[in-house]
Amino acid sequence: EKGGYASFMLKEIAEQPKAVADTLLGRIDGSGSLMLDEVRIPANVLREVDKVVIVACGTAFHAGLIAKYAIEHWTRVPCEVELASEFRYRDPILDQQTLVVAISQSGETMDTLMAVRHAREQGAKVLAICNTNGSTIPRESDAVLYTHAGPEVAVASTKAFLTQLVACYLVALYLGQVRGTKYADEIRAVVRDLASVSGAVERVLETMEPVRQLARSLAGKDTVLFLGRHVGHPVALEGALKLKELAYMHAEGFAAGELKHGPIALIEDDLPVVVVVPSPRGRSVLHDKIVSNIQEIRARGARTIVVAEEGDDAVVPYADHLIRVPVTPTLLQPLVATVPLQVFACELATARGNEVDQPRNLAKSVTVE
Ligand code: BG6
């Protein structure tokens, strides 16, 4: 049932374009309005929401970190993101005007479930973003938006993550639609961009051979660092998590702006550092800053592995290895930028002789706190 692939993980990475497209399917009407009837929280309740709190674990938490940028930018509603395991024990401030979004592939993660229960006890409304029909978290939530990734078997999440991002963007747009901060034509434009991302992910997958070669050449390394800014920061965290889970390597993700406040001390000769570069279009200040960061680490000996948009020439002189991703609006870039990092981790793990579908010590869904 691996469909000719050597592992479920490779199969699931390859299924991502379809998973993304399926998660969008039927959720927008001809006039460009989102049809999320499945989100049974009434519009008048959503209009009253004055704070969004996202709770999740692991990879789903990284989807939440990215969602915050979209929610705040498109709706102007403040959004916090918290690890589900931390949320409940710090007495968070919640009331009827709080919308809690719980993201979980399995719908069974105990930490996330406990966060959902706590939020509802405090009177907050809970919306689940979940991949598993009828699982516990959606059953205990006020509403659910299902991701349509299909069953995910490999322990390390790949296609579910991309569909969680799509679902988060849809929730952000829907909140904007209901609250009047996003109008049909703008929603239609973003949904059109989202729809074309599926093809962009396909193109990324077709260009992964150099990434696989690079990964194999790094199999003897102990540490890989990941840097990003804005939505590239959670992408860096996710790239590092994948490498920990699969390759059992020391990997850390940092906000590139934090480099000078500590992590730059880690840079030594030939240390691989993956840098996720935002689009040079749009908020170009972000791009210029990260190009300086690449120069800084390279001057200190780092081996730079640069993930940058096609046509971004500014990074070329400073990239020891260049991974190109298609041109994508900044907020949506994680959908394409994450894919090479998944392939990188999967190949590196395989080169180190690890079993990628069942990494040691991990379980697909953790039903204890
Ligand atoms: C971990 C899995 O234990 O749970 C991760 O190994 C996953 O891959 C995390 O991201 C959260 O799981 P879920 O099902 O709540 O999304």
Side-chain angles (χ1 to χ4, degrees):
E1 67 238 69
K2 291 179 195 159
Y5 291 91
S7 62
F8 281 105
M9 183 161 185
L10 285 172
K11 174 171 177 269
E12 288 160 8
I13 287 173
E15 285 170 346
Q16 293 184 112
K18 182 172 186 306
V20 165
D22 286 350
T23 299
L24 285 169
L25 206 67
R27 286 175 166 164
I28 174 130
D29 70 12
S31 71
S33 294
L34 288 162
M35 302 183 300
L36 297 186
D37 302 340
E38 43 202 315
V39 176
R40 290 170 322 213
I41 302 174
N44 63 316
V45 173
L46 290 178
R47 273 193 282 275
E48 295 297 309
V49 165
D50 64 7
K51 181 170 71 171
V52 178
V53 181
I54 302 177
V55 291
C57 303
T59 289
F61 172 69
H62 296 152
L65 290 175
I66 292 164
K68 173 186 166 82
Y69 290 84
I71 290 172
E72 291 195 339
H73 185 66
W74 289 335
T75 73
R76 309 311 296 156
V77 179
C79 176
E80 299 168 18
V81 192
E82 191 153 3
L83 291 166
S85 55
E86 289 292 324
F87 173 77
R88 192 161 76 108
Y89 298 104
R90 71 168 174 94
D91 194 14
I93 301 165
L94 304 164
D95 58 30
Q96 289 88 329
Q97 279 157 273
T98 313
L99 177 67
V100 171
V101 179
I103 309 175
S104 173
Q105 186 286 128
S106 62
E108 301 296 346
T109 299
M110 188 55 77
D111 286 319
T112 310
L113 176 60
M114 289 305 181
V116 165
R117 286 185 183 157
H118 183 75
R120 293 196 73 196
E121 278 161 18
Q122 309 297 307
K125 287 276 173 284
V126 178
L127 169 65
I129 291 178
C130 185
N131 197 45
T132 312
N133 258 295
S135 54
T136 311
I137 289 169
R139 275 194 279 116
E140 295 209 14
S141 299
D142 293 286
V144 56
L145 184 65
Y146 281 109
T147 50
H148 294 158
E152 190 179 66
V153 177
V155 167
S157 184
T158 54
K159 62 175 180 170
F161 175 69
L162 259 60
T163 62
Q164 283 161 355
L165 290 179
V166 171
C168 287
Y169 295 129
L170 290 176
V171 167
L173 291 172
Y174 186 61
L175 267 181
Q177 173 175 299
V178 166
R179 300 168 64 91
T181 54
K182 272 273 160 206
Y183 301 103
D185 50 343
E186 300 173 67
I187 293 172
R188 203 181 302 121
V190 181
V191 171
R192 203 182 305 123
D193 290 334
L194 271 172
S196 70
V197 165
S198 164
V201 173
E202 189 92 61
R203 290 209 299 288
V204 173
L205 290 170
E206 285 160 7
T207 57
M208 286 297 95
E209 192 43 43
V211 173
R212 284 191 281 267
Q213 271 174 31
L214 171 65
R216 288 194 290 271
S217 76
L218 297 176
K221 292 280 182 190
D222 298 319
T223 300
V224 180
L225 302 184
F226 293 77
L227 299 179
R229 277 178 183 265
H230 194 263
V231 290
H233 176 220
V235 172
L237 297 177
E238 175 60 10
L241 177 62
K242 282 284 151 291
L243 212 54
K244 287 176 221 176
E245 289 176 308
L246 298 165
Y248 316 148
M249 287 170 82
H250 172 224
E252 270 193 87
F254 298 108
E258 272 294 292
L259 255 184
K260 56 185 174 300
H261 301 298
I264 201 162
L266 295 169
I267 305 295
E268 56 187 23
D269 208 32
D270 210 35
L271 178 79
V273 184
V274 178
V275 188
V276 182
V277 179
S279 169
R281 302 159 304 115
R283 260 159 295 176
S284 58
V285 60
L286 284 175
H287 176 267
D288 298 349
K289 289 226 147 76
I290 212 156
V291 174
S292 320
N293 295 140
I294 302 172
Q295 287 174 258
E296 282 157 13
I297 57 171
R298 199 156 183 268
R300 289 162 178 81
R303 178 167 355 166
T304 57
I305 302 166
V306 176
V307 181
E309 201 172 275
E310 282 155 9
D312 179 353
D313 296 329
V315 296
V316 175
Y318 315 111
D320 295 310
H321 307 273
L322 189 52
I323 301 172
R324 288 296 191 187
V325 290
V327 174
T328 316
T330 303
L331 275 174
L332 307 187
Q333 198 204 33
L335 287 166
V336 290
T338 306
V339 176
L341 308 188
Q342 299 167 341
V343 172
F344 180 73
C346 187
E347 188 71 25
L348 225 159
T350 307
R352 286 163 75 95
N354 299 352
E355 160 58 64
V356 293
D357 287 339
Q358 294 284 342
R360 69 183 183 201
N361 308 341
L362 297 178
K364 183 66 183 159
S365 83
V366 180
T367 53
V368 290
E369 259 197 280

